[in-house]
Amino acid sequence: MNTFKDFYSRQRQKFFSYLVRRSGDYHLACDIMQESFTRLYEKYSAESVSPQLLYTIGRNLVHDALRRQRRYPTLPEEKDQPAIDPNHDLMVRDEYRRVMAAMRRLEDDERDLLALVVSSELSYRELAAITGISEANVKVKIHRTRKKLRNILETGGT
């Protein structure tokens, strides 16, 4: 139990960041994070628990959720929360929306790989194992995706 608790403490921030970037939805990311750690705890022994396994479980749950959303689309809800500095909060929200809009213009596999590399701190070898492509291909795809995202952000993708 203590081993799992330590694992959770070390991984939760990075894993949650990945889920938010990948899904684009804070509340969905919360649900998927909870479900991922629950599945990991219930179905795997302490010796087999690894970041790779956690990200694989979370990645699959995100894919399932996004597939369901395409089938049954819902309108996004904006929660009004009080801000300490309204101007700063507005700038951060605008930048976040701009980046998320640019990421939505990427292909699903590009968005997934970029969210994994930015959030997880996993090695290219571990990313290759999660995604099922070669380590060299992971490096190339990440480089190309970063260039593509930079282009979208700078020029609006034109």
Side-chain angles (χ1 to χ4, degrees):
M1 177 66 170
N2 224 9
T3 304
F4 186 80
K5 186 176 180 181
D6 294 339
F7 177 79
Y8 175 81
S9 296
R10 284 190 316 273
Q11 296 298 321
R12 68 186 168 97
Q13 293 282 56
K14 294 179 281 189
F15 184 59
F16 185 70
S17 292
Y18 162 71
L19 294 173
V20 170
R21 282 184 179 95
R22 183 62 183 101
S23 68
D25 183 332
Y26 175 86
H27 298 289
L28 178 61
C30 288
D31 292 342
I32 291 174
M33 185 169 101
Q34 180 178 354
E35 179 65 22
S36 298
F37 277 108
T38 300
R39 286 186 185 189
L40 189 68
Y41 180 72
E42 289 176 347
K43 298 185 184 218
Y44 297 94
S45 66
E47 296 80 37
S48 65
V49 170
S50 70
Q52 278 181 283
L53 182 58
L54 176 65
Y55 281 89
T56 300
I57 292 169
R59 183 174 182 254
N60 291 337
L61 289 171
V62 168
H63 284 296
D64 292 345
L66 294 177
R67 196 174 350 193
R68 275 192 304 276
Q69 282 181 352
R70 279 187 216 117
R71 227 179 270 150
Y72 310 107
T74 58
L75 296 174
E77 294 181 19
E78 284 282 327
K79 301 277 186 198
D80 291 324
Q81 297 177 348
I84 295 171
D85 179 3
N87 291 330
H88 179 269
D89 189 46
L90 184 62
M91 288 187 326
V92 169
R93 277 193 209 176
D94 285 345
E95 184 64 18
Y96 174 78
R97 285 184 183 133
R98 192 169 86 81
V99 171
M100 291 307 291
M103 285 190 70
R104 280 192 293 274
R105 294 185 63 189
L106 299 172
E107 299 295 324
D108 273 347
D109 61 329
E110 293 171 331
R111 188 171 41 244
D112 183 41
L113 195 55
L114 190 59
L116 272 171
V117 76
V118 169
S119 304
S120 69
E121 294 182 4
L122 295 173
S123 69
Y124 287 132
R125 178 171 290 143
E126 292 169 319
L127 293 174
I130 290 171
T131 58
I133 57 178
S134 72
E135 185 177 347
N137 202 0
V138 166
K139 291 177 185 179
V140 169
K141 284 185 176 219
I142 289 170
H143 174 72
R144 288 180 182 164
T145 302
R146 283 180 172 156
K147 280 181 67 174
K148 186 175 180 180
L149 182 63
R150 189 176 308 118
N151 182 44
I152 292 169
L153 288 169
E154 289 173 355
T155 65
T158 58

